[in-house]
Amino acid sequence: MDVNATIQDLKKQMDDLKQSDEKNQLAMVVFSGDLDKLLAAFIIATGAVAMGLEVVMFFTFWATAALRKKKFKARGKDFFGKMFGFMLPKGVGKVKLSKMNMGGMGTAMMKKLMKKKNIQSLQQMIDLAAELEVKIHICEMSMDLMGFNRDEMIDYPHRDFVGVASFLEVAGNSKIQLFI
Amino acid sequence: MDVNATIQDLKKQMDDLKQSDEKNQLAMVVFSGDLDKLLAAFIIATGAVAMGLEVVMFFTFWATAALRKKKFKARGKDFFGKMFGFMLPKGVGKVKLSKMNMGGMGTAMMKKLMKKKNIQSLQQMIDLAAELEVKIHICEMSMDLMGFNRDEMIDYPHRDFVGVASFLEVAGNSKIQLFI
Amino acid sequence: MDVNATIQDLKKQMDDLKQSDEKNQLAMVVFSGDLDKLLAAFIIATGAVAMGLEVVMFFTFWATAALRKKKFKARGKDFFGKMFGFMLPKGVGKVKLSKMNMGGMGTAMMKKLMKKKNIQSLQQMIDLAAELEVKIHICEMSMDLMGFNRDEMIDYPHRDFVGVASFLEVAGNSKIQLFI
């Protein structure tokens, strides 16, 4: 056996293996626009940063509506864009529970209860996520479909507009992946 | 130190580690039978192939109904089988949005909008997935439960009928796992 | 090249890499309290044990209600606690399908059908999971929010009350992660 050559070969294999190893990262698809699921997503995201993970949240479909500004007068939207703009919740203040909404009463009750129990509101969690450098990637295709434009989205500091390829690249290098 | 023996041992450990390493593969449980979630599943699946991943979609529960043929006259079904056959959507053309369906109006609007924005329909995405060799594994227990038989399912070229053990084996060897 | 030093270094790198390797473990967030999703969660969990995986189920939000005892007279609950206690399903016997519930008829039909097809009931699956040493971790924050106390939860043998950090630690070391 040629010891030196074998050792060189082992070294190379080791480097390859390390390269393919996953990063200390969490990738999350946030698909749902419901208050309860958005809360779960941000609790997991901020908790993960506290544990030393990097976090990328990929907002798509209904969830994109929750990232809209509270007040925004869109101009020049076509019929569908106006419809979606009107019918989907305008930002985190307007999202509802997936169950027991009961015409808004259940959602209002849940918000009151969270306050009472000292659990942060969704808005406060987003602010915390921003501070903790959680990345929010927004699916461009979903925005296009629903007629949302970039100016309409909240000014989150670690925000990006991406496609599905970007999510898959992040997910492939992540230790944990979730679809919420 | 016996150099040769140590090197042999390192080689063995390296091989073991490589064996346990995950494949460049994505495993997806598709549980939901809603149009929006099915679209998300196929967008992720076809996008993943484009990035060099192998993809296995495991269709279970409500999602199995979406894989039924448009026209199929089932014979010899029992009462429950007939009920489910009648009540669940018959194929991709009949699935509905999880939100804002509004008696079918929202779903129709979304389909029209996708066409306008040049986004492929669910049927076109399935055709693309077939071309890209995305594997579709259908949960046999779900089919049994809902009284669907194999002939009733679409003739997808990379189709298989499996149990949960098969999914778990695929998932355990995959880089990315999602439950949609 | 100093052969001995290089080999020692390779050995160390190998140990580090092995340490960072994921355990043969499945981590699942069970968020939904619907019968169909709970069934899927327990079918996957018990199937995974059969394949040699360790399994940790992290029950949060609506799913926590399904782990309540059938009969439990809570005392000293405040208004919200009483409301949630009354409105959310009291244990696995009361959970409903996410679709086609039809005022309970669909859920009853599904249960009858499962019996006919020799598929275990949710209660039987939980019993099996207990036997197979599937771990159930219950989210303390969710319990606090909904006003459930520990005595109210079923006496599952491998039960624990935890926070999100605990889930993330388990998930980071797991081969498979799912959000159901």
Side-chain angles (χ1 to χ4, degrees):
Chain A
M1 184 172 69
D2 180 348
V3 172
N4 281 10
T6 312
I7 288 179
Q8 286 307 329
D9 184 49
L10 274 170
K11 262 184 158 172
K12 215 203 138 294
Q13 286 183 49
M14 182 75 79
D15 288 342
D16 287 350
L17 213 54
K18 276 187 182 166
Q19 196 106 58
S20 85
D21 212 37
E22 288 155 343
K23 276 203 284 183
N24 226 3
Q25 191 171 263
L26 183 154
M28 216 188 279
V29 181
V30 189
F31 174 92
S32 161
D34 301 316
L35 173 59
D36 42 352
K37 294 211 172 168
L38 289 168
L39 283 173
F42 277 98
I43 289 171
I44 292 174
T46 51
V49 176
M51 296 187 63
L53 288 154
E54 282 181 49
V55 180
V56 182
M57 302 174 90
F58 183 74
F59 275 71
T60 182
F61 233 87
W62 310 114
T64 53
L67 292 181
R68 293 195 294 162
K69 283 177 190 152
K70 211 168 152 182
K71 281 178 188 173
F72 183 82
K73 273 272 163 243
R75 276 148 206 270
K77 286 201 179 188
D78 61 10
F79 172 73
F80 285 118
K82 276 182 196 149
M83 277 284 274
F84 272 111
F86 175 73
M87 297 185 61
L88 291 172
K90 214 162 182 176
V92 290
K94 299 289 186 195
V95 295
K96 290 180 178 31
L97 288 175
S98 67
K99 315 241 151 197
M100 306 225 307
N101 181 47
M102 303 179 295
M105 211 178 72
T107 299
M109 201 174 102
M110 178 63 78
K111 285 183 184 175
K112 199 170 269 182
L113 191 53
M114 285 171 63
K115 209 167 189 172
K116 203 188 149 204
K117 302 276 182 184
N118 281 319
I119 297 171
Q120 296 192 301
S121 73
L122 186 50
Q123 183 56 60
Q124 287 172 316
M125 282 189 200
I126 294 179
D127 294 342
L128 178 62
E131 223 171 279
L132 295 173
E133 299 185 21
V134 168
K135 287 185 193 121
I136 290 186
H137 290 182
I138 310 179
C139 171
E140 283 199 300
M141 192 201 209
S142 301
M143 283 178 58
D144 184 35
L145 191 62
M146 302 193 179
F148 300 158
N149 53 52
R150 292 189 177 199
D151 298 337
E152 202 167 344
M153 297 285 137
I154 53 165
D155 297 313
Y156 187 88
H158 320 286
R159 186 188 78 170
D160 214 342
F161 299 95
V162 303
V164 71
S166 161
F167 163 69
L168 286 162
E169 209 180 295
V170 170
N173 289 320
S174 294
K175 266 196 164 175
I176 310 179
Q177 304 99 13
L178 301 170
F179 184 100
I180 297 185
Chain B
M1 184 172 70
D2 181 347
V3 171
N4 282 8
T6 311
I7 288 179
Q8 285 308 328
D9 184 50
L10 274 171
K11 261 183 157 173
K12 217 205 138 295
Q13 286 183 49
M14 181 75 78
D15 287 342
D16 288 350
L17 212 56
K18 274 185 182 168
Q19 197 106 58
S20 84
D21 210 37
E22 290 154 342
K23 276 204 284 185
N24 227 2
Q25 191 172 263
L26 182 152
M28 214 187 281
V29 181
V30 188
F31 174 93
S32 160
D34 302 316
L35 174 58
D36 41 352
K37 294 211 172 167
L38 289 167
L39 284 172
F42 277 99
I43 290 171
I44 292 174
T46 51
V49 176
M51 296 187 63
L53 288 154
E54 282 182 48
V55 180
V56 182
M57 303 174 89
F58 183 74
F59 275 70
T60 183
F61 233 86
W62 309 114
T64 54
L67 292 182
R68 292 195 295 162
K69 282 176 188 152
K70 211 168 152 185
K71 281 178 187 171
F72 183 81
K73 273 272 162 245
R75 277 149 206 268
K77 287 202 180 188
D78 62 10
F79 171 73
F80 285 119
K82 276 182 195 148
M83 278 284 273
F84 272 111
F86 175 74
M87 296 185 61
L88 290 173
K90 214 162 183 175
V92 289
K94 299 289 185 194
V95 295
K96 290 178 176 33
L97 288 176
S98 67
K99 316 239 151 199
M100 304 226 307
N101 181 47
M102 303 178 294
M105 211 177 73
T107 300
M109 201 174 104
M110 177 63 77
K111 285 184 184 174
K112 198 168 269 182
L113 191 52
M114 285 171 64
K115 208 166 190 173
K116 203 187 150 205
K117 301 275 181 183
N118 281 319
I119 296 171
Q120 295 193 301
S121 73
L122 186 50
Q123 183 57 59
Q124 287 172 316
M125 282 189 199
I126 294 179
D127 295 342
L128 177 62
E131 224 171 280
L132 296 173
E133 299 185 22
V134 168
K135 287 185 193 120
I136 290 186
H137 290 181
I138 310 178
C139 172
E140 282 199 302
M141 192 202 210
S142 301
M143 283 178 59
D144 184 35
L145 190 64
M146 301 192 179
F148 301 158
N149 54 52
R150 292 188 177 200
D151 298 337
E152 203 167 344
M153 297 285 137
I154 53 164
D155 297 312
Y156 186 88
H158 320 287
R159 184 189 78 171
D160 214 341
F161 299 95
V162 304
V164 70
S166 162
F167 162 69
L168 286 163
E169 209 180 295
V170 170
N173 289 319
S174 295
K175 266 194 165 177
I176 309 180
Q177 304 100 14
L178 301 171
F179 184 101
I180 297 183
Chain C
M1 183 172 70
D2 180 347
V3 172
N4 281 9
T6 312
I7 289 179
Q8 285 308 327
D9 184 49
L10 274 171
K11 262 183 157 172
K12 217 204 138 296
Q13 286 184 49
M14 181 75 78
D15 288 342
D16 288 350
L17 213 55
K18 274 187 182 167
Q19 197 105 57
S20 84
D21 211 36
E22 287 156 343
K23 276 204 284 183
N24 228 1
Q25 190 172 264
L26 183 153
M28 215 188 279
V29 180
V30 189
F31 175 92
S32 161
D34 302 317
L35 175 58
D36 41 352
K37 293 212 172 167
L38 288 167
L39 284 172
F42 277 98
I43 289 171
I44 292 174
T46 51
V49 175
M51 295 188 65
L53 289 155
E54 282 182 49
V55 180
V56 182
M57 303 173 89
F58 184 74
F59 275 71
T60 182
F61 233 86
W62 309 113
T64 54
L67 293 181
R68 292 195 295 162
K69 282 176 189 152
K70 211 169 153 183
K71 282 178 188 173
F72 183 80
K73 273 271 162 247
R75 277 150 206 268
K77 286 201 179 187
D78 61 9
F79 172 73
F80 285 120
K82 276 182 194 147
M83 279 284 274
F84 272 111
F86 175 75
M87 297 186 61
L88 291 172
K90 213 162 184 174
V92 289
K94 299 289 185 195
V95 295
K96 291 179 176 34
L97 288 175
S98 67
K99 316 239 151 197
M100 304 227 307
N101 181 47
M102 303 178 294
M105 211 178 73
T107 300
M109 201 174 105
M110 178 62 79
K111 285 183 184 174
K112 198 169 269 182
L113 190 54
M114 285 171 65
K115 208 166 189 173
K116 201 187 151 205
K117 301 275 183 184
N118 282 319
I119 297 172
Q120 295 192 300
S121 72
L122 186 50
Q123 183 56 60
Q124 288 171 316
M125 282 188 199
I126 294 179
D127 294 343
L128 178 62
E131 224 171 279
L132 295 174
E133 299 184 21
V134 168
K135 286 185 194 122
I136 291 186
H137 289 182
I138 311 178
C139 172
E140 283 199 301
M141 191 202 211
S142 301
M143 283 179 59
D144 184 35
L145 191 63
M146 302 193 179
F148 301 158
N149 53 52
R150 293 188 176 199
D151 298 337
E152 203 167 344
M153 297 285 137
I154 53 166
D155 297 313
Y156 187 87
H158 320 287
R159 183 189 79 170
D160 215 343
F161 299 95
V162 304
V164 71
S166 161
F167 162 69
L168 286 163
E169 209 181 296
V170 169
N173 289 319
S174 295
K175 265 195 165 176
I176 309 179
Q177 303 101 12
L178 301 170
F179 184 100
I180 297 184

